[in-house]
Every structure is written in C-alpha cells, then in structure tokens.
C-alpha cells in the first residue's frame, strides 16, 4: 500500500501572480510544502499537480515528482481541489493507494510534525468524534 501527497499548484493565480513560486524567506513558496512532505517520511510519493512548466521545474528541483501536467479544464479559476485530487489519482493509475494527502503549495508554516500528527489521527480514527 502506498501513501501519496498531492500538492496542487496552478500557474494562473490572479490575485498574486506566480504565487506558488514567489520567493519567501529565500525559497520558492511551494518548496516549504514539498520539504515538509518529504521530511515527514509519511509518503511514498510527493506529487505536484500543475499546469505550469516553471512550477514543475521548481517542484522537481526540491524533490517532488511531476508525472503529468494538469489539463486546462482543471486549471481555470473555477476548478476545485477535489476534482484536481481525483484527477491526480486517475493519472497515477495506482490501485495500491492507502492514503492521499492534499497539501497546499501556499502553506509555508506546515511542518513534518503536523503531517505526521494528521496521518496518525486518521489511522487511529480519533478524527471521528461526532
């Protein structure tokens, strides 16, 4: 069984153009999410789902995989996160996935400890207290 992190990173941000790769404290913003996912050791694969070649290059340089470029239909202002993650699952064509984690590219304060705690919570079913 594999665990996969998917980091959606669209190239066409309107409010803050190129926000996913803007420099933040000396690194591209997306690099923090990639590094936290890798350092957590919770994932067999860290995938960036993007429609943008430059974002793909940055993601690869920080150790993520970019096995496909996202379609235009899933890269517009109205594309939601759920269809993007569903598309990533279909693109990967992996029938052995146990957990998928969506990590936003614009979460520089996310730590590997946060990721591990989230996975442990899901595994222990503590998140279902309702």
């Amino acid at each position: 069984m594999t665990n996969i992190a998917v980091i959606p990173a669209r190239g066409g941000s309107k409010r803050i153009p190129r926000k996913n790769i803007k420099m933040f404290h000396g690194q591209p913003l997306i690099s923090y999410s990639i590094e936290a996912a890798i350092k957590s050791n919770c994932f067999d694969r860290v995938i960036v789902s993007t429609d943008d070649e430059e974002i793909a290059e940055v993601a690869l340089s920080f150790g993520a995989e970019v096995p496909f470029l996202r379609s235009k239909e899933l890269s517009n202002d109205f594309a939601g996160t759920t269809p993007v993650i569903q598309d990533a699952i279909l693109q990967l064509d992996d029938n052995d996935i146990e957990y998928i984690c969506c990590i936003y590219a614009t979460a520089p304060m996310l730590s590997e400890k946060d990721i591990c705690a989230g996975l442990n919570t899901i595994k222990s079913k503590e998140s279902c207290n309702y």
Side-chain angles (χ1 to χ4, degrees):
M1 299 298 271
T2 58
N3 295 336
I4 298 174
V6 178
I7 302 172
R10 186 171 71 96
S13 176
K14 301 287 190 286
R15 289 179 288 185
I16 304 174
R18 314 297 298 153
K19 70 179 175 191
N20 294 312
I21 54 174
K22 279 216 179 282
M23 295 302 281
F24 181 75
H25 289 274
Q27 290 184 212
L29 189 56
I30 193 173
S31 69
Y32 294 95
S33 295
I34 294 168
E35 289 177 341
I38 291 170
K39 287 179 184 175
S40 75
N41 290 317
C42 292
F43 308 108
D44 301 293
R45 300 176 75 182
V46 176
I47 306 293
V48 171
S49 171
T50 187
D51 60 324
D52 186 279
E53 291 282 350
E54 188 178 9
I55 292 172
E57 288 175 23
V58 170
L60 289 168
S61 75
F62 281 90
E65 297 178 44
V66 186
F68 58 87
L69 288 178
R70 196 183 326 159
S71 70
K72 290 185 189 304
E73 294 78 26
L74 290 174
S75 300
N76 62 41
D77 293 341
F78 306 104
T81 303
T82 300
V84 168
I85 301 302
Q86 289 171 329
D87 177 66
I89 293 167
L90 292 173
Q91 293 282 346
L92 294 173
D93 194 29
D94 184 341
N95 294 322
D96 200 35
I97 298 172
E98 184 172 16
Y99 294 102
I100 296 267
C101 177
C102 175
I103 299 174
Y104 288 107
T106 54
M109 303 308 286
L110 180 68
S111 74
E112 60 269 17
K113 291 177 184 176
D114 296 329
I115 293 169
C116 291
L119 180 60
N120 289 335
T121 297
I122 289 169
K123 285 183 174 181
S124 68
K125 301 186 186 332
E126 290 175 11
S127 63
C128 298
N129 291 332
Y130 56 88

